[in-house]
Amino acid sequence: MKKSMFLLFFCAFTNVLYSQIVLYPNFNKKDVQYLDLTKSDVSSSETKLFFRYTSPSTYLNGGWVSINKNTFIQDNLTGKKYYLQRAENIPISPETYNFKSVGEKLEFILYFPPIPDTVSTIDIIESENDEAFNFYGVNIKYIFSNSSQSQDNEFSKISKFNEIIHIDASPKPSFESLLASVKTAVLVTENRYTQNGYLNYLREMGFNPILFNKLEEAVDRYGFDKSALFVTPLQSQDELYSFVFIHLPTGYQWTFSSTFTSNDLQKYNYNLTSAAYEIMRRAYGSKKPPYNRYNTLNLAKWKTGWKKSLLIDDFQKNGIKDIEGVYESTNNSEAKYCVAVKKIKDLYRLIYISGANNQEDWDEGELKATLIPTATPYLYKAKWIMANKKENSDFYISFEQGFMSVLDNNKRKSMYVKMFPSASDDINIDGENVAKASGTGFAVSGKGMVVTNYHVIENANKIRISGINGDFSKKYEAVVVLYDRNNDLAVLKIKDDKFISLGKIPYVIKADVSNVGTDIYVLGYPLRSTMGDDVKLTTGVISSKSGYQGDVTAYQISASVQPGNSGGPLFDKQGRIIGIINAKHARAENASYAIKSTYLMDLINSLDVSPTLNNTNTLTGKTLVNQVKDASRYVYIIEVE
C-alpha cells in the first residue's frame, strides 16, 4: 500500500456556469497532517486542486509519496463517487516520488470531475483500504456567481472571507480511543497514603503520571493540554471506589468504579500503597494503547477565510475602516497574540493570526472575539473566545491611538500595539468615523500656548483641547505653531473665538538636566475610553539619564505610563517640569521615557515671538496632593482627527 497525502481545504471557482467557493472546510476525521491546499478551481468540466506536501520526519530521508489510482470524492448526501481522473507532478501508484530530505516540499495537482452545486458535505478517500489516508465529513459552503472574472479578482472582493463558519468539536470517543490520544495522566489527590499506589498503576498502564495536590494548580499547568488526562479519585462510598477521568480541553469525562472490601485490605496486610494500586487496577484494568496523534481530539472553532497576508492586501487595496488593522500583544509572560481587527457584517471582529500557547488548536483566520459597541466611543464589550474555544462575554476592549487594550474576566489588562498600518504606510481611511487620537498637553503660556508630542498631532486635520480651567465639556480648536519631529515635540496655539486665557501658570520649566534618583510624578489622561477623563497621577524616580537604546535626549523613568499619557508633563518633587512623556518600553516593566525639558526650551526659544514663560514656581514647598491639585488645571486633553 503506497500511502498518499491529499486535500485539506479547497476553494473553487468557475467562469462558465457557476462558481463554487469552499471556505476552510472542517472534517470530523483526518488521517494526514503534512498537506496544504494552495489553490483550487472548479468548473463545469472538472475539479482542479493544487497542493503542497511537506515530507515529514517519520523517515530519515523524508520518505516517498504517491497517489492511489482509486482516490475519489464522495457526496455524503447521495453517496455518489467522483474518481480521480489524473495527476500532475506526482506519480499515481504503483510508481512513487522519492524525497531527498526531510522538509522537502512537493507541489502537485489532482483532477476530479466537477462537484455539483447541491453538494454540501463530502468525504475524500484514497481507497477503501483501512490503511489509506482519508478525510471524512468535510463540510463545504457554496457561493454562486455567473461572473467571468478570474479567481484572483474574485478573491479581492472578500465576500467569501467574511463568512464565519462554526466547526464542531470532535465527538466524544470511546475511552480506549481517547487513551490513544493522551500521554500524561494528571493525578489530583491530597491523600498521601494512596497517591503512590495510584501513580504506580498509572505508570504501569503506560502513562507519564504527574501528581498535583490542588486542582487549581493542575488546571493552570495542564488545563489546555490535549495530550493530558486528569484523574481524580472520588469520595468512596462504603466499599465502592470511583475514579473520574476528565479530558479538560473538550470537557469529556469517564467514570470507573471498583469494589474493595475490608477483607481485601487485610489480604494486602493493610499496605495502602498496594491496596490503592489494586483498587485502580480493578476499576480500569486495561493498558493504555500507544500514543497516536491521529486520535487527537479537535476543539470547536469559528473560522473566517482571512489570513494576515490577505488582510494586509485588502487594507492596502480598499483602505481601512476606523480601528481596523493588525495588532500585536506586548505580553511576554503569557500568550503573545497577533490579531487583526476587521469589520465583518457590521461588527468589528478580532481575527487570530498567531501567538497562542496551544498553537495546534488555533488556525490562522479563526475568530478570536466579536466586539459589541457600548455607549462610550472606542469602548467595546467583547465576546472573547478562550483557549478552550469557549465564549466568554466578560471582556472589554478599548482603542487609543496606535493601541488596543483588553480587560479580561479576571480584570487583568493586556496591551496591544498596532503594527499595520504603520505611520509610514499609505493607507486610505475608508469609514464614516475616523478613530480619534488622544494625548496629553500642558500650558506654557497663559495666552494659549500648549506643548504636546509631535506624534500626537502628526497628520491631524483638526486639533481640539479640553480640560481648560477644569472644564471638559468645552473644546477649543488649536493649531500647530512649531514642531520638532526628531525630538517628538510640538507647540500648539489655541485659536478659538471662545478662548480668553489659560490663567497664570503655577510651575516653571527646568532649564538643566536632573539626576538619577530624582523623585518624579506624571500627570496625564491615559486610556480615556476605560479610565475616564479625570487626570491620572503616577509616581516614580528617574532611572537613567538616557532613554531607549541610550538616547541622550530622554530620561528613563519608573513611573507607569499608558497610551494617552503622550505629551504630558513630567514634574520633579519641587513642581518643576523636567520632561515631556513620549514613550513606554513595551517589553519591560516600569520603563517609560520622557524628553528632557532642555530640548523643549530650545524649541520655545526658536519661535519668532517667544512666549513669556512663568519664572515663579508657586508649587514649591507644597505637598504632592496640593501640587497635583494646582498643576492639573493646566494639563489638558489633546484630541485630533
Side-chain angles (χ1 to χ4, degrees), residues 229-259:
L229 184 64
F230 279 61
V231 185
T232 303
L234 301 179
Q235 183 70 36
S236 61
Q237 296 181 356
D238 296 328
E239 296 176 340
L240 183 68
Y241 295 82
S242 299
F243 303 87
V244 60
F245 292 75
I246 305 175
H247 188 254
L248 276 188
T250 59
Y252 298 145
Q253 57 181 280
W254 298 259
T255 301
F256 298 95
S257 301
S258 65
T259 301

Side-chain angles (χ1 to χ4, degrees), residues 117 196 215 275 286 303 394 422 489 509 543 550 569 616 638:
D117 55 19
N196 286 335
L215 178 62
S286 300
K303 295 201 70 171
D394 197 18
S422 67
L489 293 171
I509 302 174
S543 306
T616 303
I638 311 295

Side-chain angles (χ1 to χ4, degrees), residues 89-108:
N89 300 334
I90 189 171
I92 296 178
S93 63
E95 299 178 10
T96 63
Y97 175 89
N98 293 302
F99 291 104
K100 298 180 179 62
S101 62
V102 173
E104 181 183 348
K105 297 184 186 302
L106 173 67
E107 295 188 350
F108 61 93

Side-chain angles (χ1 to χ4, degrees), residues 373-612:
T374 69
T376 303
Y378 306 108
L379 173 63
Y380 297 84
K381 187 177 178 66
K383 295 181 179 179
W384 187 273
I385 298 174
M386 308 293 284
N388 62 356
K389 303 305 177 78
K390 304 296 184 184
E391 191 176 85
N392 189 318
S393 296
D394 197 18
F395 274 64
Y396 294 87
I397 297 179
S398 63
F399 294 86
E400 304 280 345
Q401 183 187 25
F403 291 91
M404 176 177 73
S405 298
V406 178
L407 188 68
D408 69 16
N409 56 314
N410 293 316
K411 308 308 177 187
R412 295 174 301 191
K413 185 183 296 181
S414 301
M415 185 72 67
Y416 290 72
V417 177
K418 193 169 190 177
M419 305 301 295
F420 185 90
S422 67
S424 60
D425 289 313
D426 185 18
I427 304 294
N428 293 325
I429 306 297
D430 179 23
E432 300 82 10
N433 300 312
V434 178
K436 289 183 178 180
S438 178
T440 302
F442 59 94
V444 293
S445 165
K447 294 184 178 180
M449 205 75 75
V450 175
V451 169
T452 190
N453 286 145
Y454 172 76
H455 78 256
V456 171
I457 53 84
E458 184 179 14
N459 299 324
N461 294 318
K462 291 183 180 180
I463 303 173
R464 294 186 178 90
I465 299 177
S466 60
I468 293 175
N469 296 318
D471 187 352
F472 293 93
S473 64
K474 294 181 180 179
K475 297 182 180 182
Y476 297 85
E477 293 193 5
V479 297
V480 180
V481 294
L482 190 63
Y483 64 84
D484 180 351
R485 185 195 303 266
N486 291 333
N487 291 316
D488 198 18
L489 293 171
V491 179
L492 312 179
K493 175 76 172 178
I494 297 176
K495 291 271 182 132
D496 196 300
D497 294 339
K498 303 188 297 289
F499 175 71
I500 299 175
S501 172
L502 296 178
K504 183 172 176 57
I505 311 298
Y507 44 75
V508 297
I509 302 174
K510 192 168 183 277
D512 55 2
V513 176
S514 297
N515 293 318
V516 173
T518 298
D519 291 321
I520 53 91
Y521 64 92
V522 174
L523 295 178
Y525 299 92
L527 300 172
R528 293 171 51 221
S529 60
T530 55
M531 299 176 70
D533 286 345
D534 294 332
V535 73
K536 304 299 184 297
L537 166 73
T538 56
T539 61
V541 297
I542 293 179
S543 306
S544 173
K545 292 169 73 172
S546 61
Y548 184 67
Q549 295 185 338
D551 181 6
V552 296
T553 68
Y555 296 115
Q556 179 180 314
I557 61 174
S558 63
S560 176
V561 302
Q562 307 293 341
N565 274 118
S566 294
L570 174 69
F571 292 93
D572 64 13
K573 64 181 180 181
Q574 283 79 40
R576 299 175 295 184
I577 288 182
I578 63 171
I580 302 90
I581 300 298
N582 80 320
K584 171 182 180 175
H585 198 306
R587 299 180 182 271
E589 294 291 334
N590 301 321
S592 306
Y593 302 105
I595 306 149
K596 294 172 181 174
S597 58
T598 53
Y599 294 91
L600 173 59
M601 291 297 294
D602 291 341
L603 181 63
I604 291 174
N605 290 333
S606 67
L607 287 165
D608 292 337
V609 179
S610 297
T612 301

Side-chain angles (χ1 to χ4, degrees), residues 16 76 80 123 147 224 308 339 400 443 452 468 470 497 541 570:
V16 182
N76 275 353
K80 185 175 180 179
D123 293 336
S147 171
F224 299 122
K308 182 179 179 180
V339 297
E400 304 280 345
T452 190
I468 293 175
D497 294 339
V541 297
L570 174 69

Side-chain angles (χ1 to χ4, degrees), residues 79-257:
K80 185 175 180 179
K81 298 177 181 179
Y82 302 86
Y83 282 91
L84 177 69
Q85 295 176 326
R86 59 191 176 93
E88 286 185 12
N89 300 334
I90 189 171
I92 296 178
S93 63
E95 299 178 10
T96 63
Y97 175 89
N98 293 302
F99 291 104
K100 298 180 179 62
S101 62
V102 173
E104 181 183 348
K105 297 184 186 302
L106 173 67
E107 295 188 350
F108 61 93
I109 307 172
L110 299 184
Y111 293 82
F112 297 88
I115 304 172
D117 55 19
T118 56
V119 176
S120 60
T121 307
I122 61 174
D123 293 336
I124 314 298
I125 300 176
E126 181 191 18
S127 77
E128 302 291 358
N129 191 307
D130 291 338
E131 296 181 359
F133 288 92
N134 302 325
F135 301 77
Y136 298 105
V138 181
N139 296 320
I140 58 177
K141 181 179 177 65
Y142 294 101
I143 300 173
F144 302 101
S145 171
N146 292 320
S147 171
S148 60
Q149 292 176 299
S150 69
Q151 183 176 1
D152 289 338
N153 287 339
E154 186 70 16
F155 213 65
S156 67
K157 288 190 173 182
I158 76 168
S159 61
K160 59 181 176 289
F161 303 118
N162 285 339
E163 294 293 330
I164 300 174
I165 299 176
H166 180 258
I167 300 172
D168 291 332
S170 298
K172 184 178 180 179
S174 67
F175 189 63
E176 289 72 19
S177 178
L178 180 278
L179 288 179
S181 75
V182 297
K183 303 175 183 178
T184 302
V186 182
L187 177 64
V188 183
T189 178
E190 294 182 345
N191 191 329
R192 61 189 180 90
Y193 299 106
T194 58
Q195 57 189 211
N196 286 335
Y198 296 149
L199 289 171
N200 289 341
Y201 176 71
L202 291 169
R203 193 174 292 112
E204 183 177 295
M205 189 176 174
F207 279 110
N208 172 31
I210 305 292
L211 174 66
F212 282 92
N213 293 323
K214 300 292 185 182
L215 178 62
E216 295 79 6
E217 296 173 357
V219 171
D220 186 58
R221 175 63 180 85
Y222 289 99
F224 299 122
D225 187 345
K226 291 195 297 186
S227 67
L229 184 64
F230 279 61
V231 185
T232 303
L234 301 179
Q235 183 70 36
S236 61
Q237 296 181 356
D238 296 328
E239 296 176 340
L240 183 68
Y241 295 82
S242 299
F243 303 87
V244 60
F245 292 75
I246 305 175
H247 188 254
L248 276 188
T250 59
Y252 298 145
Q253 57 181 280
W254 298 259
T255 301
F256 298 95
S257 301

